[in-house]
């Protein structure tokens, strides 16, 4: 009997749907699944209010944990799957809190881990932080699976905040699609479950190498890498300042959060378009370097599709 630990935290329910689709093929008599949903002692709201949302960014980027309900479990696991949201180019605070817990240090040590992300389109820097958090508990990342929102960057720049701040995710005005990951993509995430099941049946998880390669697990949009790096630096600088001013939730942080929001909007409207033009030129000049960078961030699962036909019957 193989034992799989699934750890997740979802506000909207979308990540729960992704996790369910991926894990359903594992539900058989040979595999025992234990799903632990992270529960912060102080719930994060959904929909968010504007200030509640922006007030989270300093602690998100600096990986400050919140208090979470204690997890009790005496099992020893063969594989761990961590499903997480991206907050401000970082893992969500509840997931960071889990990875900094005593439970994670005990249960994840020397274990193969698969991370699963459902987000808008910028997740690379969050996964780099995730790698660091997993390294801190001596876990081994063997796969990363990423599902991104449907629609262009411009469309999701409108639809995603609308969903977060109002709870409405429907398509509108004929030009804006439904917010979130396409339902077909969520359904097709089952292919990873079938691949994981096959790997567990053959003890491949013990080799601690990718078991979801060849299934188009992840695709890095190289046009966004530099924007993520710049955004992370900005979050770190302003986050450091706001953390010094006060603790999360304190009213004295609000004027500085509002100021940073105005600054961020101005940057998005002016500097980002110019940077995108510059980066387009740089990518053409340094094409080989950019492709190597893309391949690095797509590890360990990669963007190849050579095994898709093996699992097409299961989709």
């Amino acid at each position: 009997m193989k034992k799989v630990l699934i750890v997740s935290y979802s506000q909207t329910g979308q990540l729960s749907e992704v996790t369910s689709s991926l894990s359903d093929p594992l539900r058989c008599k040979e595999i025992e699944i234990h799903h632990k949903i992270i529960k912060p002692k102080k719930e994060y709201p959904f929909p968010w209010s504007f200030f509640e949302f922006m007030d989270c960014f300093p602690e998100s980027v600096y990986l400050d944990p919140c208090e979470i309900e204690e997890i009790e479990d005496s099992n020893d696991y063969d594989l761990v799957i961590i499903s997480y949201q991206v907050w401000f180019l970082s893992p969500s605070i509840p997931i960071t809190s889990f990875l900094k817990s005593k439970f994670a240090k005990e249960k994840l040590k020397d274990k193969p881990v698969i991370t699963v992300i459902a987000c808008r389109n910028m997740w690379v820097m969050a996964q780099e932080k995730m790698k660091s958090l997993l390294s801190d508990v001596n876990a081994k990342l063997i796969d990363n699976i990423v599902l991104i929102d449907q629609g262009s960057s411009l469309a999701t720049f409108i639809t995603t905040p609308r969903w977060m701040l109002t709870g409405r995710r429907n398509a509108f005005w004929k030009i804006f699609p439904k917010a979130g990951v396409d339902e077909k993509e969520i359904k097709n995430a089952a292919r990873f479950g079938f691949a994981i099941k096959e790997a567990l049946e053959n003890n491949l998880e013990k080799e601690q190498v990718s078991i979801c390669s060849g299934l188009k697990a992840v695709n890095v949009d190289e046009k966004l890498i530099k924007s993520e790096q710049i955004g992370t630096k900005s979050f770190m600088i302003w986050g450091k300042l706001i953390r010094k001013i006060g603790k999360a939730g304190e009213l004295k942080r609000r004027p500085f959060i509002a100021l940073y929001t105005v600054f961020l909007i101005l940057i998005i409207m002016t500097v980002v378009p110019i940077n995108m033009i510059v980066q387009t030129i740089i990518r053409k000049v340094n094409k080989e370097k950019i492709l190597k960078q893309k391949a690095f961030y797509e590890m360990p699962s990669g963007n190849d599709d050579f095994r898709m036909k093996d699992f097409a019957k299961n989709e």
Side-chain angles (χ1 to χ4, degrees):
M1 173 80 69
K2 292 295 178 72
K3 293 185 178 181
V4 176
L5 171 64
I6 299 176
V7 178
S8 68
Y9 173 77
S10 177
Q11 283 176 294
T12 66
Q14 174 179 257
L15 189 61
S16 297
E17 293 176 9
V18 172
T19 305
S20 228
S21 176
L22 184 148
S23 62
D24 279 349
L26 302 178
R27 300 184 186 281
C28 60
K29 62 181 180 180
E30 294 84 11
I31 300 173
E32 187 176 290
I33 295 177
H34 294 254
H35 190 175
K36 306 295 183 182
I37 297 174
I38 304 306
K39 297 178 180 179
K41 289 188 176 180
K42 182 181 179 181
E43 287 289 341
Y44 291 93
F46 180 78
W48 294 87
S49 70
F50 170 77
F51 276 108
E52 284 175 318
F53 173 66
M54 290 301 298
D55 193 45
C56 280
F57 99 77
E59 285 68 35
S60 294
V61 299
Y62 275 94
L63 304 179
D64 293 338
C66 67
E67 288 189 278
I68 59 175
E69 298 290 342
E70 188 174 344
I71 302 172
E72 296 183 0
D73 191 324
S74 60
N75 290 289
D76 184 41
Y77 293 99
D78 298 284
L79 178 70
V80 179
I81 298 173
I82 301 176
S83 296
Y84 75 96
Q85 296 171 294
V86 174
W87 291 5
F88 300 98
L89 308 179
S90 308
S92 70
I93 293 175
I95 288 296
T96 294
S97 304
F98 164 75
L99 288 167
K100 290 192 171 187
S101 69
K102 181 182 177 181
F103 180 91
K105 291 176 182 177
E106 292 175 353
K107 296 298 181 181
L108 272 62
K109 184 179 180 181
D110 300 323
K111 301 300 181 184
V113 173
I114 297 174
T115 50
V116 181
I117 305 170
C119 68
R120 182 187 165 218
N121 59 8
M122 299 175 76
W123 54 267
V124 168
M125 293 298 104
Q127 185 64 5
E128 289 304 295
K129 291 181 179 181
M130 173 60 76
K131 290 177 184 177
S132 177
L133 289 166
L134 290 174
S135 177
D136 288 345
V137 295
N138 296 306
K140 173 66 175 178
L141 178 68
I142 63 169
D143 276 299
N144 182 34
I145 297 165
V146 182
L147 280 68
I148 64 170
D149 289 8
Q150 57 192 315
S152 65
S153 292
L154 180 59
T156 56
F157 183 71
I158 302 297
T159 59
T160 302
R162 177 176 180 260
W163 186 18
M164 289 189 304
L165 299 176
T166 71
R168 290 181 292 174
R169 63 179 302 194
N170 59 295
F172 62 103
W173 292 357
K174 296 184 179 180
I175 58 173
F176 292 107
K178 182 179 179 181
V181 179
D182 185 271
E183 291 177 5
K184 183 178 178 181
E185 286 297 309
I186 294 176
K187 180 181 178 181
N188 288 347
R191 69 183 182 275
F192 302 111
F194 286 109
I196 294 167
K197 179 183 178 184
E198 182 177 273
L200 289 170
E201 290 172 346
N202 292 285
N203 296 317
L204 298 182
E205 81 286 352
K206 293 181 180 179
E207 298 179 14
Q208 297 202 345
V209 296
S210 174
I211 56 181
C212 292
S213 58
L215 295 174
K216 292 184 73 67
V218 54
N219 178 44
V220 169
D221 186 343
E222 61 272 20
K223 298 189 294 296
L224 297 176
I225 294 174
K226 195 64 180 178
S227 294
E228 285 206 45
Q229 292 170 341
I230 293 171
T232 297
K233 288 181 180 179
S234 174
F235 286 150
M236 296 293 285
I237 293 169
W238 281 82
K240 184 177 182 180
L241 171 64
I242 293 172
R243 283 163 86 229
K244 286 183 177 180
I245 291 167
K247 295 181 180 179
E250 292 185 355
L251 291 177
K252 59 185 176 181
R253 296 195 346 170
R254 288 198 172 190
F256 295 90
I257 289 171
L259 178 63
Y260 178 62
T261 302
V262 172
F263 168 79
L264 187 62
I265 291 172
L266 289 174
I267 291 294
I268 291 171
M269 293 175 64
T270 58
V271 176
V272 170
I274 296 172
N275 178 65
M276 290 180 70
I277 295 171
V278 172
Q279 291 303 316
T280 299
I281 297 170
I282 292 175
R283 285 196 300 274
K284 290 182 178 180
V285 175
N286 296 324
K287 186 175 181 180
E288 186 174 339
K289 179 182 178 180
I290 298 298
L291 289 176
K292 285 182 179 179
Q293 193 177 40
K294 172 181 167 70
F296 171 78
Y297 288 129
E298 289 177 345
M299 293 175 63
S301 304
N303 189 35
D304 294 323
D305 62 357
F306 59 88
R307 293 172 67 204
M308 291 289 283
K309 63 181 183 298
D310 298 332
F311 295 92
K313 62 180 179 299
N314 297 318
E315 293 187 0

